[in-house]
Amino acid sequence: MRVLGPLEVWRGDRAESLGGVKQRALLAHLALHANTGVSLNQLVEALWPVSRPRSVVSNVRTYVWRLRQVLDDHLRTHGTGYVLAVSPQELDALLFDELVADARRRPDAALELLRQAESLWRGRPLEDLPDHDAWTPAIARLEEARLAATEHRLALQVERGDSAAAIPQLRALLAAHPYRESVCGQLVIALRQDNRRAEALQVYADMRARLADELGLEPGPALRDAQLAVLRGEPASAPIRQLPPSVSDFCGRAGGTEALVRALRRGSVSAPVAGVTGPPGVGKSTLAIRVAHLVGDHFPDGQLYVDLGGTAEQPRDAGDVLTELLHALGITGAGLPSQLTARAALYRSRLAGRRVLVVLDDAASVSQVVPLLPGDAGCAVLVTSRRRLSELPGALQVELRPFEPEEAAELLASIAGEDRVSAQPDEAAAIALACGHLPLAIRVAGARLAGRSGWSMQVLRERLVDESTRLRELSSGELAVRASFDLSIRQLPEQEFRAFVRLALPGPHDFPGWVVDTLLDEPGSEHLLDGLVDAGLLESCGADGIGQPRYRLHDLLRCHALELARSLPDRLSTVERMLRAWLWLAVTAARRLPVTFGTTIADVDRVAAPEHLLAEPVAWFEAERRTLCGAVDIAAAAGFDELAWQLAAACVPFFDLHSHYEDWARTHARALPCVRTAGNRAGEAVLLRGIAQVHIYRDEFAEAERDMLAARELYRAVGDERGQGTAIAGVGVIHRLRAEYERSMACYTEALRLLESAGDLHSVAHVRASIGAVHGALGSVEQAREWLTGARQLAADLGDTHREALVLVRLATLHRSTGEHEAELVSARRAVTILMDLTDERCTAFAQVELAEALISNGHPQAAHDLVEQALETYRRTGNREGEPAALRTLARAAGALDQLLLPYFQPR
């Protein structure tokens, strides 16, 4: 692939067709950011910077699909965007950079390598495509690198005595770049080497006049030295040492440190640039200063340091910063140009031929940084910023996250005292966790402990438990976490600030991007999340199982946002709107899952929520499981009793399908005090019925009976016949599992009457099957067959395949009792197939045990043994003790049958 000229893709000796302008532009954008993920939003911004068609997303996907026919697996999906994965041998821009870097590392082969690099250029990068503002930094970097490579190659030619060939090219280069002193200096040297001293002096005089007349400048020291002698460098001078001291208790960040050191020391045709970004308080400046000291010996001419004030109300102007840097380099008074471009040119000239590290701390934007970049390959730049600087040309980006627990403990110990931390490691770990493993917060916590020798670790840990006062506790002297956060937050535009405050309301779990629309009550607000991510105030967690981007607030940032949210006049209504959106989605998804007996799914009003995400309801529930559990907590804490029980109940079909009994029990238990406080007897009945069902699965029959009977009384009090029927049927299940079949039949008969009166046919089918099972247990085969056959027919008429599968399991049991083993096998296999298709783990295991019995009956004990092992693994993994005893009995029968089958092979002959 070629971008150093017109865009081209070659396969062998054939140029591939790349389609229309937009499609080619998309490929060009990916090529300029090769091997780096480019989000869908970035592609849209690049291709349609002003106005966009409605079908913009489908257009991008169509272009990608077409390009994949040409690029094979080089064009890959990356998160919510794409990445062009290519090697230097497959993209000319990457090969150019590699050859130039090799030339720096291999002086003996440098000239040939640079010639190879220059030969890759066929014109201006992407010259056959319209200009795009998004490409400007990358193209500028390429063109600057090309110019630097040409200068380097010509300098080598002059150095090796080939001045005659270099002079015409140097003259042409100087004509194209009339203010480039390094080119002029090489031309002066070459002319002198070629014994053309008068011409050399004239070239110098012309440049001096041009600089003085047009820029008000004098030539730099390198050019002045070139006037005097060939190959003379700038006279030695005292190196500049502006770095702040490195902290003595620095710890962690081994990977980031190594990457930055390697990047700053690497050879290149232009000054290496590295950036350290991340949220407030994560230790960007600390790491940058540490690294700057580590590489100091690589930059013998000095280290410049400047604070760019990116988090101040008014970040520093690049022109003012250049003035400070030029003062440090010895330029003062009338020698200082008035124009920004002229100051930048003089700054680069002063650094030419030197090896200087420039540290730019707390940058506000790329536009603030670019004028401060040296042009000489001997220099390097290290930038820190709370904002992502993805447009910084050619920069290595190291994005810092909070410490790992071990690093957090190490820092706390280095400040508060090793003995103190090692004496109470659990308390220390709890303090670090309350600090969100954020270095600044840990440093503050350590300082508080160090200044209070009488405190135990437990005292501070207890003070940090309460989220409402945590940030107040994390303050010590001039160190304060809240103040650090405020520096970033006050930089936000109004809409991003509104979003940030409200994003604390979904709780501590990660959340999908669409939530911001609901929180702000403004559709199309998801783009605000990108700004918060770039500002380091929101963490992108990648995509979930249904391809939606997810985000989270760091715990301490969430505490700060919650403090701000308390003053919102619409806080409760915002929370309610968010919960109603979650509820509508959960209810809609639940109705697309198999019907769970005894569950009450509320009828709720349609709200603005992304229904298209529910195409695969199980996958949606999996993606939102933790968030939905958190939503129940939020509803209960806010006193929204109806929302609390309805959310908890809406999750039951999913919890039941995948045996998430802990989540089922916890959400119901969390909502229960809220509905009781509100006197909501209908909600209390639903929750008690659900809790009782979990007790049944766990073989806790006494607790299950207690809660089922309590639910029945509450249902009766509110006049809910269906609820009464499901509760008394639940009591019937408990009696059946205890082998109390007469009592079980009485419960089922009453439940059937209530459910038929209520018109709940799905539940009627369930109870009829249960009555058939009891008849079978009592030995009434024909009655059992009649009830089970009727239940299966009703389930089939309702289209309830899940219920039909469970009835088939009962029928298989009946067939086994009557010796109808072929029919037993057919029914059990059909049941397992249906339940596996529905991904119901618990019921599949139940059916697998029955199928194993059928396999034993039909002479296949080994297959039965393997099948029961699978079922037991499911029961044990999910904590379902109800089915485990029956499975163990079947496993024993399979083992016995297998022994009988193998016995003849071990008899003595």
Side-chain angles (χ1 to χ4, degrees):
M1 184 180 304
R2 301 179 182 178
V3 296
L4 303 180
L7 177 64
E8 295 176 352
V9 173
W10 288 78
R11 192 184 298 273
D13 58 356
R14 185 183 80 251
E16 295 284 355
S17 172
L18 299 177
V21 172
K22 288 293 185 189
Q23 188 166 303
R24 291 164 61 83
L26 184 144
L27 176 58
H29 192 86
L30 291 172
L32 289 175
H33 301 82
N35 301 314
T36 301
V38 179
S39 70
L40 186 61
N41 285 343
Q42 288 173 319
L43 287 172
V44 170
E45 288 286 344
L47 269 60
W48 291 277
V50 180
S51 60
R52 301 165 191 166
R54 291 184 179 178
S55 59
V56 63
V57 173
S58 63
N59 286 1
V60 169
R61 288 174 176 159
T62 299
Y63 298 154
V64 169
W65 179 82
R66 289 173 180 166
L67 287 170
R68 278 179 172 153
Q69 314 308 305
V70 176
L71 300 170
D72 301 322
D73 63 345
H74 290 299
L75 182 47
R76 303 170 186 171
T77 301
H78 180 84
T80 57
Y82 304 97
V83 61
L84 182 67
V86 287
S87 69
Q89 305 308 316
E90 295 167 318
L91 179 62
D92 58 2
L94 294 180
L95 181 57
F96 171 80
D97 286 339
E98 183 176 77
L99 289 168
V100 169
D102 280 349
R104 287 287 176 185
R105 289 190 292 266
R106 300 171 53 195
D108 57 323
L111 191 57
E112 180 55 33
L113 289 167
L114 290 168
R115 282 173 173 151
Q116 291 177 33
E118 288 182 83
S119 71
L120 297 171
W121 287 77
R122 298 165 292 114
R124 186 175 181 274
L126 304 172
E127 65 182 22
D128 59 330
L129 287 171
D131 289 337
H132 285 270
D133 289 344
W135 300 351
T136 300
I139 289 178
R141 184 198 71 79
L142 285 170
E143 291 182 328
E144 178 65 24
R146 180 190 189 184
L147 177 57
T150 301
E151 282 189 60
H152 187 190
R153 190 255 305 165
L154 290 170
L156 287 174
Q157 284 185 238
V158 172
E159 182 181 316
R160 296 178 187 186
D162 190 14
S163 297
I167 287 170
Q169 296 177 62
L170 285 166
R171 286 192 186 277
L173 203 59
L174 184 59
H177 303 278
Y179 303 108
R180 201 165 180 97
E181 292 187 45
S182 55
V183 176
C184 182
Q186 282 299 324
L187 179 55
V188 169
I189 292 170
L191 288 167
R192 174 171 176 160
Q193 190 181 79
D194 204 38
N195 292 317
R196 296 157 68 174
R197 298 174 181 241
E199 290 180 62
L201 291 172
Q202 187 60 54
V203 167
Y204 172 82
D206 291 345
M207 172 61 88
R208 182 182 182 188
R210 188 158 54 247
L211 291 173
D213 294 343
E214 299 177 24
L215 302 179
L217 299 176
E218 284 293 318
L223 182 53
R224 290 199 301 269
D225 289 344
Q227 180 194 23
L228 302 175
V230 175
L231 296 176
R232 181 186 302 168
E234 185 176 0
S237 59
I240 305 162
R241 297 283 188 263
Q242 292 189 335
L243 291 179
S246 180
V247 296
S248 58
D249 53 17
F250 183 89
C251 63
R253 306 301 190 202
T257 299
E258 181 182 353
L260 290 167
V261 167
R262 188 168 56 249
L264 294 171
R265 284 178 169 168
R266 74 176 187 264
S268 176
V269 295
S270 57
V273 181
V276 182
T277 63
V282 81
K284 299 177 293 295
S285 297
T286 301
L287 175 61
I289 293 167
R290 172 77 168 187
V291 168
H293 281 282
L294 289 175
V295 299
D297 61 340
H298 195 72
F299 300 96
D301 295 320
Q303 299 91 41
L304 293 165
Y305 173 87
V306 64
D307 183 349
L308 298 181
T311 50
E313 291 188 14
Q314 289 293 329
R316 297 186 64 186
D317 178 74
D320 294 339
V321 175
L322 280 169
T323 298
E324 180 179 326
L325 291 169
L326 287 168
H327 283 169
L329 293 168
I331 305 296
T332 58
L336 193 69
S338 59
Q339 298 286 328
L340 173 65
T341 53
R343 287 183 191 176
L346 179 57
Y347 166 67
R348 288 192 291 271
S349 295
R350 293 296 293 179
L351 290 179
R354 295 186 180 185
R355 295 175 64 183
V356 174
L357 174 66
V358 181
V359 179
L360 304 174
D361 199 8
D362 193 20
S365 63
V366 171
S367 60
Q368 185 190 32
V369 169
V370 168
L372 311 177
L373 300 180
D376 196 271
C379 298
V381 181
L382 182 54
V383 187
T384 75
S385 178
R386 295 190 181 190
R387 289 193 162 272
R388 290 183 172 179
L389 303 175
S390 52
E391 304 90 353
L392 198 59
L396 166 77
Q397 299 282 349
V398 173
E399 184 170 355
L400 296 188
R401 297 185 181 278
F403 274 156
E404 294 298 321
E406 298 78 12
E407 295 174 316
E410 182 184 352
L411 178 59
L412 187 62
S414 69
I415 301 170
E418 181 67 42
D419 293 344
R420 209 167 173 187
V421 169
S422 60
Q424 294 182 291
D426 292 341
E427 297 292 343
I431 290 171
L433 183 61
C435 292
H437 296 146
L438 193 70
L440 173 60
I442 295 166
R443 191 169 288 282
V444 174
R448 295 205 72 189
L449 288 168
R452 295 161 178 81
S453 58
W455 276 16
S456 68
M457 302 284 284
Q458 185 178 356
V459 170
L460 182 58
R461 192 260 299 163
E462 289 174 349
R463 288 185 172 219
L464 295 176
V465 167
D466 188 349
E467 289 188 347
S468 66
T469 60
R470 187 175 297 172
L471 290 179
R472 185 183 67 199
E473 295 294 333
L474 290 174
S475 176
S476 178
E478 294 185 2
L479 289 175
V481 175
R482 181 188 282 110
S484 178
F485 289 169
D486 281 335
L487 290 174
S488 287
I489 292 168
R490 72 187 183 194
Q491 303 290 321
L492 294 175
E494 181 182 355
Q495 281 296 85
E496 288 182 13
F497 174 77
R498 290 184 63 231
F500 170 74
V501 172
R502 287 159 176 78
L503 285 172
L505 300 178
H509 305 298
D510 59 44
F511 52 85
W514 64 263
V515 169
V516 72
D517 288 1
T518 300
L519 291 171
L520 294 176
D521 201 16
E522 294 176 8
S525 297
E526 278 197 56
H527 68 280
L528 299 174
L529 301 178
D530 291 333
L532 292 173
V533 170
D534 288 342
L537 294 172
L538 184 66
E539 181 182 347
S540 175
C541 304
D544 57 28
I546 56 175
Q548 294 299 297
R550 299 189 76 82
Y551 305 88
R552 73 177 294 273
L553 283 172
H554 184 276
D555 287 344
L556 293 181
L557 280 167
R558 183 174 53 81
C559 290
H560 193 34
L562 277 173
E563 289 182 357
L564 298 171
R566 289 192 188 98
S567 62
L568 293 175
D570 62 342
R571 182 174 65 86
L572 279 179
S573 62
T574 300
V575 171
E576 183 178 8
R577 183 170 61 248
M578 173 190 70
L579 293 173
R580 290 197 180 281
W582 282 117
L583 176 62
W584 186 85
L585 287 168
V587 164
T588 305
R591 294 191 189 283
R592 299 176 184 180
L593 296 180
V595 178
T596 300
F597 179 75
T599 302
T600 300
I601 306 297
D603 293 320
V604 297
D605 294 334
R606 177 75 164 91
V607 298
E611 185 178 1
H612 68 277
L613 300 179
L614 306 180
E616 297 182 32
V618 171
W620 181 82
F621 267 117
E622 286 285 9
E624 303 299 350
R625 175 181 155 199
R626 293 182 63 211
T627 315
L628 287 167
C629 292
V632 175
D633 291 344
I634 294 168
F640 294 129
D641 54 295
E642 280 287 290
L643 289 170
W645 79 256
Q646 289 174 354
L647 275 164
C651 295
V652 166
F654 169 69
F655 291 158
D656 197 26
L657 198 64
H658 283 270
S659 306
H660 292 308
Y661 303 132
E662 288 298 325
D663 290 341
W664 185 342
R666 197 190 71 77
T667 52
H668 282 52
R670 183 71 179 89
L672 192 58
C674 177
V675 298
R676 281 176 170 164
T677 299
N680 187 335
R681 290 185 292 180
E684 184 180 358
V686 171
L687 295 172
L688 285 173
R689 173 67 177 79
I691 291 170
Q693 189 64 48
V694 177
H695 284 311
I696 289 175
Y697 291 155
R698 290 174 171 170
D699 208 12
E700 299 163 348
F701 296 143
E703 296 88 343
E705 185 173 12
R706 177 198 65 206
D707 290 339
M708 283 290 185
L709 291 172
R712 179 191 182 187
E713 291 308 309
L714 287 164
Y715 279 129
R716 178 182 290 164
V718 297
D720 184 344
E721 282 191 318
R722 176 189 175 276
Q724 291 179 67
T726 63
I728 197 61
V731 178
V733 170
I734 296 165
H735 289 312
R736 178 171 58 80
L737 293 172
R738 287 170 170 165
E740 300 166 351
Y741 296 121
E742 296 295 343
R743 298 180 69 183
S744 176
M745 183 67 80
C747 289
Y748 284 143
T749 301
E750 182 183 353
L752 183 62
R753 177 184 61 79
L754 289 164
L755 292 167
E756 286 179 336
S757 176
D760 182 356
L761 296 181
H762 289 278
S763 296
V764 166
H766 175 89
V767 173
R768 285 183 179 176
S770 298
I771 291 173
V774 173
H775 277 302
L778 291 170
S780 304
V781 174
E782 291 310 315
Q783 285 180 292
R785 192 186 307 276
E786 179 182 348
W787 280 97
L788 289 171
T789 303
R792 180 187 179 186
Q793 187 59 55
L794 178 55
D797 292 343
L798 293 170
D800 188 347
T801 55
H802 186 268
R803 187 71 50 213
E804 183 181 2
L806 296 181
V807 178
L808 283 167
V809 176
R810 303 291 188 196
L811 280 168
T813 304
L814 182 66
H815 292 319
R816 183 170 72 257
S817 72
T818 59
E820 302 167 274
H821 296 311
E822 187 175 342
E824 175 193 4
L825 190 60
V826 170
S827 292
R829 276 183 171 154
R830 175 64 180 151
V832 170
T833 299
I834 292 172
L835 292 167
M836 287 183 72
D837 287 344
L838 293 172
T839 69
D840 185 335
E841 286 188 312
R842 179 181 63 83
C843 291
T844 296
F846 171 57
Q848 283 175 325
V849 173
E850 189 54 49
L851 177 55
E853 290 282 4
L855 289 167
I856 295 170
S857 300
N858 285 272
H860 304 291
Q862 184 62 62
H865 190 279
D866 295 344
L867 202 60
V868 182
E869 289 281 11
Q870 292 180 37
L872 275 170
E873 191 280 328
T874 299
Y875 286 145
R876 288 165 178 166
R877 177 169 46 81
T878 59
N880 185 341
R881 292 195 288 270
E882 175 199 356
E884 194 170 344
L888 288 170
R889 289 193 295 271
T890 302
L891 187 66
R893 278 193 288 275
L898 190 58
D899 288 344
Q900 290 297 316
L901 192 65
L902 296 175
L903 188 60
Y905 294 98
F906 296 97
Q907 295 288 349
R909 297 188 178 182

